[in-house]
Amino acid sequence: YWDIAGHADRLADKIRAALDALKVPYLVPTNTNQIFPILPDDKLAELKKNFAFAEIERVDETHRCIRFCTSWATKEENVDALIDALKAVV
């Protein structure tokens, strides 16, 4: 259990560090495998092409909170691809 959960948390931390570097705000801060960034609506369509995430709630007229969630099955190369995509759109 600790190994599996540790993998998910480590990859979530990697995504969180990238979002922090991009100065992306969060709906709520977390230190788990779930991340709740607030992103511009016009950027979400581009991210949806290659990544799965849940839309949580509208924050204002042009931004939404979404949820990224890592798991035991998340591959590091997919996290790296997400980070590259976030850098391109944020």
Side-chain angles (χ1 to χ4, degrees), residues 3 14 16 27 33 38 41 44 46 61 69 84-85 90:
D3 291 338
K14 190 172 183 176
R16 205 171 355 267
L27 183 64
N33 65 318
I38 297 170
D41 293 338
L44 296 180
E46 186 63 31
E61 291 181 11
C69 186
D84 288 342
V90 173

Side-chain angles (χ1 to χ4, degrees), residues 5-18:
H7 171 80
D9 288 343
R10 183 179 64 77
L11 293 180
D13 286 343
K14 190 172 183 176
I15 296 168
R16 205 171 355 267

Side-chain angles (χ1 to χ4, degrees), residues 7-82:
H7 171 80
D9 288 343
R10 183 179 64 77
L11 293 180
D13 286 343
K14 190 172 183 176
I15 296 168
R16 205 171 355 267
L19 291 166
D20 290 346
L22 293 167
K23 308 276 192 252
V24 173
Y26 301 94
L27 183 64
V28 292
T30 65
N31 61 356
T32 69
N33 65 318
Q34 298 185 72
I35 309 163
F36 298 92
I38 297 170
L39 294 171
D41 293 338
D42 62 343
K43 307 302 181 183
L44 296 180
E46 186 63 31
L47 287 175
K48 279 184 185 178
K49 291 178 183 177
N50 297 304
F51 304 98
F53 53 85
E55 293 186 19
I56 301 302
E57 70 180 56
R58 174 154 301 288
V59 175
D60 62 29
E61 291 181 11
T62 60
H63 294 81
R64 293 176 195 261
C65 171
I66 63 170
R67 179 181 73 108
F68 292 123
C69 186
T70 57
S71 77
W72 63 270
T74 303
K75 295 180 181 177
E76 188 143 9
E77 57 265 23
N78 293 340
V79 167
D80 292 339
L82 172 62

